[in-house]
């Protein structure tokens, strides 16, 4: 296989990964790592490097749209980014001492969990009772526009959310993914942030979290231009196309179908990890 | 510069600037990567990819001075890597702008929080963690 051919099929694969990531809401990086390692036989360290770059591209691309709508809670995002960036750097450090087949197994478990999370029932009822002293001190309570009126919400359990965000950051740094599912879990389930706000805020945070570990990985040579180029262009084009399809389409069955596909990829990653093939 | 920032009188102006910045960063970096990609493929397209075993990116493409040097000698790989650096810089620049936005609102608690985040990322860059 020549470099030209490799680049072209990787471009097509990255397009599919971006499309799938955007339709399931899991982000481009999540599908990319199994694609690169299982199908293209790429070492998982190169896969992690390019998936991080892809996560930044998709996060920045879509965050631009969400911030405009005023749904993203920038204060929640910024405060929790202390947790995720600290975690991301710890994750990038741990990665040096972690055997690649262990990374593959952890990745599979997180992927399985993410696929499951994308099917879960969402928290759409805003919390109106003020329970957290820290949330008030940190001005985390907010509001967002919905159908012409403003919905107010209060944030709970700030420390619990912060702790889980640190874990999300570590996994993001170790595995090279945005770990959007864990971020949403921290905000949605623990802090009781409404779903609309937690998904857009999580997306807003993914780019910064990924950048924190990507600067470390760049120095370590995980980001190779020959893979990064088709991956960035393909994933961006794929997620852009995905966001166009999403408008108006019935996504429930689509999500279920893709979550099953992702579930299979996850099991394949775990199996290969256990067999020591990755 | 001061006048530009003073002309923002509310949150939304800053938010829309940040939105534009993010989009511009993504578009710029993909254009740079695409140009580098064409040069890379013309020169090396017939070669054989070797990613099954981890060797790592070429030593000179792991830091800014090396990447810039490569860009000036029109190395396709270095130009792609410059595109990657622009992409990495986008969210970092966004944090920097958020700090300014919070300062304009006189929300010094959040100026502090934002600077902590920026500090953590800078530590990742220069803290010698790459080895």
């Amino acid at each position: 296989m020549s470099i030209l051919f490799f680049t072209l099929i990787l471009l097509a694969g990255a397009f599919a990964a971006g499309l799938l990531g955007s339709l399931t809401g899991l982000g481009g990086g999540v599908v990319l790592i199994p694609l690169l390692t299982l199908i293209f036989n790429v070492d998982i360290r190169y896969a992690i490097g390019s998936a991080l770059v892809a996560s930044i591209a998709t996060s920045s691309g879509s965050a631009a749209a969400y911030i405009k709508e005023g749904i993203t809670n920038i204060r929640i995002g910024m405060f929790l980014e202390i947790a995720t960036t600290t975690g991301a750097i710890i994750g990038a450090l741990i990665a040096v001492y972690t055997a690649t087949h262990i990374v593959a197994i952890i990745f599979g478990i997180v992927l399985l969990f993410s696929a499951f999370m994308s099917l879960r029932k969402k928290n759409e009822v805003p919390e109106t009772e003020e329970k957290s002293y820290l949330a008030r001190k940190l001005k985390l309570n907010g509001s967002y526009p919905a159908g012409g009126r403003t919905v107010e919400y209060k944030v709970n359990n700030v420390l619990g959310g912060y702790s889980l965000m640190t874990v999300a950051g570590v996994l993001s740094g170790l595995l090279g993914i945005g770990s959007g599912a864990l971020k949403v879990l921290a905000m949605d389930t623990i802090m009781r942030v409404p779903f609309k706000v937690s998904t857009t805020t999580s997306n807003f945070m993914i780019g910064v979290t990924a950048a924190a570990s990507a600067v470390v990985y760049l120095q370590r040579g995980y980001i190779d231009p020959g893979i990064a180029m088709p991956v960035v262009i393909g994933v961006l084009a794929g997620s852009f196309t995905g966001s166009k399809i999403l408008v108006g389409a019935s996504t429930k069955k689509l999500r279920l179908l893709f979550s099953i596909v992702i579930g299979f990829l996850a099991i394949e990653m775990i199996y290969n990890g256990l067999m020591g093939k990755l | 510069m001061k006048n530009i920032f003073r002309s923002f009188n509310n949150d939304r102006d800053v938010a829309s600037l940040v939105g534009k910045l993010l989009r511009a960063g993504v578009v710029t970096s993909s254009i740079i990567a695409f140009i580098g990609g064409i040069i890379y493929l013309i020169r090396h397209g017939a070669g054989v990819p070797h990613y099954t075993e981890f060797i790592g990116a070429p030593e000179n493409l792991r830091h800014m001075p090396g990447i810039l040097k490569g860009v000036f000698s029109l190395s396709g790989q270095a130009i792609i890597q410059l595109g990657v650096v622009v992409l990495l810089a986008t969210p970092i620049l966004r944090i920097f702008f958020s700090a300014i936005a919070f300062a304009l609102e006189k929300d010094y608690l959040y100026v502090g929080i934002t600077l902590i985040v920026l500090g953590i990322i800078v530590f990742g860059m220069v803290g010698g963690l790459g080895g």
Side-chain angles (χ1 to χ4, degrees):
Chain A
M1 184 163 52
S2 73
I3 286 181
L4 179 65
F5 186 62
F6 176 80
T7 306
L8 290 178
I9 50 171
L10 190 51
L11 195 66
F15 180 85
L19 192 66
L20 207 61
S22 147
L23 291 176
T24 51
L26 294 175
V30 164
V31 194
L32 201 61
I33 293 182
L35 178 83
L36 282 171
T37 53
L38 298 175
I39 297 169
F40 288 85
N41 247 327
V42 167
D43 185 282
I44 197 165
R45 282 160 284 193
Y46 286 126
I48 288 172
S50 48
L52 270 177
V53 177
S55 307
I56 298 173
T58 48
S59 160
S60 299
S62 51
Y66 291 136
I67 294 174
K68 224 175 166 182
E69 289 165 27
I71 302 171
T72 310
N73 187 325
I74 298 189
R75 284 194 168 80
I76 295 183
M78 197 58 78
F79 172 67
L80 292 175
E81 269 167 8
I82 300 180
T84 59
T85 49
T86 314
I89 289 188
I90 295 171
L93 285 179
I94 296 175
V96 183
Y97 306 102
T98 314
T100 51
H101 71 276
I102 304 284
V103 174
I105 295 168
I106 299 174
F107 180 87
I109 295 168
V110 172
L111 195 55
L112 218 50
F113 166 77
S114 305
F116 174 74
M117 278 286 293
S118 77
L119 295 175
R120 183 191 56 107
K121 205 171 170 298
K122 317 293 194 284
N123 165 30
E124 284 178 55
V125 187
E127 181 77 60
T128 47
E129 206 181 318
E130 194 165 297
K131 286 181 189 156
S132 166
Y133 170 78
L134 259 178
R136 197 177 63 228
K137 271 285 164 208
L138 291 165
K139 291 175 271 189
L140 301 181
N141 301 324
S143 62
Y144 65 92
R149 61 193 191 93
T150 308
V151 181
E152 306 255 350
Y153 58 89
K154 308 284 184 219
V155 173
N156 286 359
N157 200 351
V158 174
L159 285 181
Y162 188 93
S163 312
L164 191 56
M165 277 294 175
T166 310
V167 177
V170 171
L171 287 175
S172 166
L174 180 66
L175 308 175
I177 55 174
S179 34
L182 261 177
K183 288 191 172 81
V184 171
L185 182 75
M187 281 189 270
D188 204 82
T189 313
I190 298 183
M191 299 172 76
R192 303 280 304 150
V193 176
F195 180 71
K196 253 187 146 172
V197 180
S198 63
T199 28
T200 53
T201 306
S202 146
N203 199 311
F204 168 83
M205 298 172 64
I206 285 173
V208 174
T209 311
S213 44
V215 293
V216 178
Y217 282 133
L218 180 71
Q219 299 169 51
R220 228 178 252 163
Y222 279 40
I223 302 174
D224 190 276
I227 302 177
M229 182 261 300
V231 157
V232 168
I233 295 171
V235 166
L236 266 176
S239 46
F240 182 75
T241 311
S243 66
K244 291 281 163 213
I245 294 176
L246 266 186
V247 181
S250 132
T251 55
K252 215 173 169 188
K253 277 186 185 151
L254 224 68
R255 269 173 189 264
L256 182 67
L257 178 72
F258 289 146
S259 298
I260 293 169
V261 172
I262 287 170
F264 273 116
L265 287 177
I267 291 165
E268 187 81 18
M269 286 293 286
I270 296 172
Y271 175 78
N272 279 283
L274 288 173
M275 294 289 132
K277 280 190 212 156
L278 286 176
Chain B
M1 276 310 253
K2 231 177 196 172
N3 286 328
I4 299 176
F5 290 126
R6 202 168 283 160
S7 68
F8 293 125
N9 30 29
N10 60 33
D11 255 12
R12 194 168 295 164
D13 288 347
V14 180
S16 107
L17 177 81
V18 168
K20 277 186 196 134
L21 172 88
L22 290 174
R23 203 167 302 144
V26 171
V27 172
T28 313
S29 82
S30 14
I31 292 172
I32 297 174
F34 184 74
I35 295 169
I38 300 283
I39 297 175
Y40 168 66
L41 287 178
I42 289 173
R43 290 202 188 141
H44 302 281
V48 178
H50 43 76
Y51 296 117
T52 312
E53 257 175 86
F54 184 77
I55 317 156
E59 201 63 52
N60 61 318
L61 298 180
R62 298 183 184 191
H63 46 78
M64 250 341 249
I67 293 171
L68 285 180
K69 215 175 150 200
V71 170
F72 288 123
S73 57
L74 291 181
S75 145
Q77 283 174 298
I79 297 174
I80 295 172
Q81 211 73 334
L82 180 70
V84 170
V85 170
V86 170
L87 197 60
L88 297 196
T90 311
I92 301 172
L93 218 63
R94 198 212 76 202
I95 302 177
F96 178 74
F97 273 99
S98 303
I100 294 171
F102 284 127
L104 286 173
E105 286 177 38
K106 298 200 165 42
D107 187 342
Y108 297 112
L109 172 67
Y110 271 86
V111 174
I113 288 175
T114 309
L115 291 179
I116 293 173
V117 176
L118 199 58
I120 294 168
I121 296 180
V122 171
F123 172 73
M125 276 191 236
V126 299
L129 305 175

